[in-house]
Amino acid sequence: MQSCFWRKVLVSIAIFFLAGSIWVMSSPRAFAYENPDLLPKIPTPVVDLAKSLTDVQEEKLVEDLKSFETETGWKLRVLTQYDRTPGRAVINFWGLDDKSILLVADSRGGNILSFSVGDAVYEFLPRTFWIELQTRFGNLYFVREQGEDQAILQALNSVKGCLLQGGCNVVPGLPREQWILTLITSVIGGVICGFAAQPRNDKQVVAWQWALIFSPLWGILFLAFGIGPVVTRTSEWLPLVRNISGFLIGALVAYLSPVFGRPSSNTES
């Protein structure tokens, strides 16, 4: 009994030290402390500590953000950092409030973008919008192909465009990778619909009852995941036409598959 008790004590102590070491070694959050010495003396909406932007890009962005704030009242701010961060000092430096949006670009993580958003912003741009925005422009593949500067600039352009039009539920624009995913789900939905509609006897042409039974499955794939992301993100007709065509082709191939698999009627004499 005593050995079992001391074994439990030793295990508890080991777990405690392991958890403590993980907490100590974990990297601190961007705003876990204050270092106002890193901030410039002259007020500016862009603090590019990591030099992610060129001088021309930074000057143009400063003017754009100032004009946007004057016209709309929304306060957009940009902070890039790498090994050093001003932390919570940016709150007082910029006077961040409920109508403020702070974009932080830090290449030390898997996704370089993060956002600090005021409560009033969520009425126009929900939390899902910011998750999609971060995923689309801050991922390593986008940064590797387009660069950190484009990740910052295109993310800001999406935010400004949505605020000017009164808000967005999703990030505008349909990247090629996302469209390919919607096309695949459309085709899969068509295949399921085609298999379900195959006639079960010689008197049937189309098994509508089975197609209706399976409609929640192929309907979700085609409408929710194939058509929905397209019509909510772009007004272009080409991706929509392609997805509808993919659904119809998939349904037709699946519906006619028994004909292709039927053995030939010619028999050897």
Side-chain angles (χ1 to χ4, degrees):
M1 294 292 292
Q2 290 182 350
S3 61
C4 182
F5 170 78
W6 286 111
R7 188 180 297 111
K8 292 181 179 179
V9 171
L10 292 176
V11 170
S12 301
I13 293 174
I15 294 174
F16 174 80
F17 278 105
L18 178 61
S21 62
I22 294 175
W23 179 80
V24 170
M25 290 186 296
S26 62
S27 59
R29 292 182 60 86
F31 302 122
Y33 54 90
E34 295 188 14
N35 190 1
D37 296 336
L38 296 175
L39 297 173
K41 303 302 180 181
I42 302 175
T44 175
V46 179
V47 177
D48 188 14
L49 298 178
K51 300 301 178 183
S52 301
L53 305 170
T54 65
D55 293 339
V56 176
Q57 288 175 325
E58 183 176 355
E59 292 177 4
K60 186 176 184 302
L61 183 59
V62 168
E63 295 300 324
D64 289 344
L65 296 184
K66 287 181 178 179
S67 300
F68 186 79
E69 182 178 358
T70 302
E71 295 173 2
T72 65
W74 295 106
K75 186 184 297 184
L76 274 64
R77 299 294 184 263
V78 178
L79 169 66
T80 70
Q81 57 190 20
Y82 182 66
D83 56 344
R84 297 182 301 169
T85 172
R88 297 183 60 86
V90 298
I91 298 177
N92 294 327
F93 176 75
W94 278 319
L96 300 180
D97 53 23
D98 290 342
K99 298 193 68 175
S100 299
I101 300 170
L102 171 60
L103 182 152
V104 180
D106 192 332
S107 58
R108 290 176 294 180
N111 192 300
I112 73 165
L113 298 183
S114 61
F115 299 90
S116 180
V117 182
D119 293 338
V121 182
Y122 289 118
E123 299 179 9
F124 303 90
L125 305 174
R127 297 181 186 276
T128 53
F129 173 91
W130 299 103
I131 296 174
E132 183 180 354
L133 186 70
Q134 180 186 32
T135 304
R136 179 181 299 185
F137 297 112
N139 67 82
L140 295 179
Y141 298 102
F142 183 92
V143 174
R144 188 179 301 137
E145 293 180 0
Q146 304 289 334
E148 293 184 14
D149 56 342
Q150 290 303 313
I152 296 169
L153 297 176
Q154 292 190 35
L156 287 174
N157 288 335
S158 295
V159 173
K160 291 191 294 183
C162 284
L163 291 176
L164 288 174
Q165 67 183 35
C168 296
N169 290 322
V170 296
V171 179
L174 187 66
R176 179 176 177 81
E177 297 79 9
Q178 189 173 13
W179 169 73
I180 292 176
L181 181 61
T182 63
L183 178 61
I184 292 173
T185 57
S186 299
V187 173
I188 295 175
V191 170
I192 295 174
C193 181
F195 276 122
Q198 289 178 357
R200 267 52 178 186
N201 53 62
D202 295 338
K203 295 181 179 180
Q204 276 187 330
V205 178
V206 177
W208 292 107
Q209 66 277 20
W210 286 101
L212 291 175
I213 290 174
F214 283 91
S215 60
L217 180 56
W218 60 260
I220 290 175
L221 289 171
F222 176 53
L223 298 176
F225 296 108
I227 299 299
V230 176
V231 298
T232 56
R233 288 168 173 80
T234 181
S235 58
E236 297 181 3
W237 285 95
L238 187 57
L240 184 61
V241 171
R242 287 176 174 174
N243 285 12
I244 296 175
S245 300
F247 174 83
L248 295 176
I249 293 173
L252 183 62
V253 171
Y255 176 78
L256 297 177
S257 59
V259 176
F260 299 122
R262 188 177 303 167
S264 175
S265 58
N266 296 330
T267 57
E268 296 182 357
S269 55

